[in-house]
Amino acid sequence: MASSLRNITVDCTDALRLARFWAAVLGWNVYHDDDPEILVAPEFPPRREGPTMLFIPVPEPRTVKNRVHVDLQPSDCTRDEEVQRLVALGAAVVEDHRSDDGTGWVWLADPEGNDFCVERGAAERAATARPRSFHLTEE
């Protein structure tokens, strides 16, 4: 038996503003009705093959570091170009973990301070790929 990932749910003080930010980040659309909850999904009606993002208004602001966050991988630009785009949309750089050899990631925060990271895209990874070996252990 297994479960499917349905929503990535974000508690926030301004659900519409944050939903619009994440819709712009992901190239998705914002959907809502009279409910206070706002859904961000790739298309309408929202498909259920993959997860969507659900924004739920709460009265209190975020006060501690997120224990779970999303990692983004750019699909049609470099990591650095994507970081510039996200900052222009309203994200803030928290910590820069990029290395001189092109590896690494950037830790950002959305407009309400929720953490997320931008990693290198597939083309960037392929250009700096190093052989790896993995050892599987038995349980």
Side-chain angles (χ1 to χ4, degrees):
M1 296 179 117
S3 294
S4 298
L5 183 58
R6 179 175 172 89
N7 292 314
I8 298 168
T9 303
V10 180
D11 290 348
C12 50
T13 56
D14 188 340
L16 184 57
R17 177 177 177 233
L18 206 54
R20 286 178 175 154
F21 170 82
W22 280 101
V25 167
L26 299 170
W28 290 2
N29 301 297
V30 176
Y31 304 102
H32 61 92
D33 52 23
D34 294 336
D35 239 40
E37 297 177 356
I38 299 174
L39 184 72
V40 174
E43 60 187 36
F44 186 81
R47 297 175 302 154
R48 286 301 175 190
E49 290 95 35
T52 59
M53 292 188 79
L54 182 64
F55 297 87
I56 300 176
V58 297
E60 68 279 350
R62 190 193 114 184
T63 57
V64 297
K65 183 181 183 300
N66 297 64
R67 295 294 299 236
V68 174
H69 67 269
V70 296
D71 288 346
L72 303 176
Q73 179 177 330
S75 55
D76 59 356
C77 64
T78 68
R79 173 201 53 215
D80 297 346
E81 291 168 337
E82 183 66 352
V83 168
Q84 289 176 350
R85 183 181 80 88
L86 299 176
V87 168
L89 289 173
V93 174
V94 177
E95 288 182 12
D96 193 330
H97 296 273
R98 292 177 275 196
S99 300
D100 291 338
D101 66 357
T103 60
W105 68 96
V106 180
W107 170 12
L108 298 110
D110 71 15
E112 290 205 9
N114 298 299
D115 302 320
F116 67 100
C117 293
V118 178
E119 299 177 351
R120 294 177 297 150
E124 291 174 291
R125 287 179 188 277
T128 60
R130 294 178 281 220
R132 291 186 177 184
S133 65
F134 292 97
H135 177 72
L136 299 177
T137 59
E138 294 183 27
E139 292 184 25

